[in-house]
Amino acid sequence: MITFHVLTLFPEMVENACNYSILKKAIERGRVVLNCINIRDFAEGKHRQVDDYPYGGGAGMVMMASPIYSAFMSIGCPDATFLYMSPQGAVFNQKMACELATKEDIIILCGHYEGVDQRILDLLKPTEISMGDYILTGGELAALTIIDATSRLIPAVVGNSESTASESFSERLDNHLEYPQYTRPFTFMGMEVPQILTSGNHALIEKWRKKQSLETTLTKRPDLI
């Protein structure tokens, strides 16, 4: 079992997205626990202010340190893995997902506006993770990607470990892209399923899939070779 503690200004955004498909089933079965903490609940003052203008001037607003720190401390998991969704972090990949899937508690801080007060990062030292070289309006969508990619690697979540073992970027495929997949009907718009897949010869099928995986990677992502 793994627990995701998500520090966010928009808990409903995360909770609603996890209420579908495999993630929903994983939560219902107790394989995954989702604990969304609304940072605004820890803000002070009548208006529960969570952001302010940046010192030195500049566009946008910055999330204040105090509410974030109080929300973090309320979780009470000093040994948890702490992540901050940031375009300055290392780009998330399957290897990271596999490592996270071995953890028991993961805290994810979702920034918003122009980011968070640097003192939070200096004090709590989260691992910064990026989804790529682009900017989102907030960290919630990035956090959901982490949750989804990690949860499906937990035993009994997807249901068939063979399914995740043969996907793109898996160790079984030597970090190559996945081979083409086919299902019924055998003929569609004049195109037939490759005969090898209906041969029943599993050794030849495995050889064909490895060859297709390599060719697909060379065509679509040669940087992985």
Side-chain angles (χ1 to χ4, degrees), residues 85-127:
M85 301 296 94
S86 165
Q88 298 184 18
V91 177
F92 185 65
N93 57 32
Q94 189 68 11
K95 181 180 179 181
M96 291 183 187
C98 291
E99 293 174 353
L100 291 174
T102 66
K103 309 297 183 181
E104 293 185 1
D105 288 276
I106 299 175
I107 301 174
I108 305 178
L109 171 59
C110 301
H112 219 75
Y113 313 119
E114 294 300 314
V116 305
D117 189 308
Q118 179 63 35
R119 289 168 292 187
I120 280 294
L121 308 183
D122 295 339
L123 182 64
L124 300 178
K125 294 179 170 46
T127 298

Side-chain angles (χ1 to χ4, degrees), residues 17-18 20-28 32 144 147-148 151:
C18 292
Y20 297 93
S21 190
I22 291 175
L23 270 180
K24 179 181 180 181
K25 293 178 181 178
I27 292 172
E28 290 176 343
V32 172
L144 285 166
I147 294 170
D148 186 276
S151 295

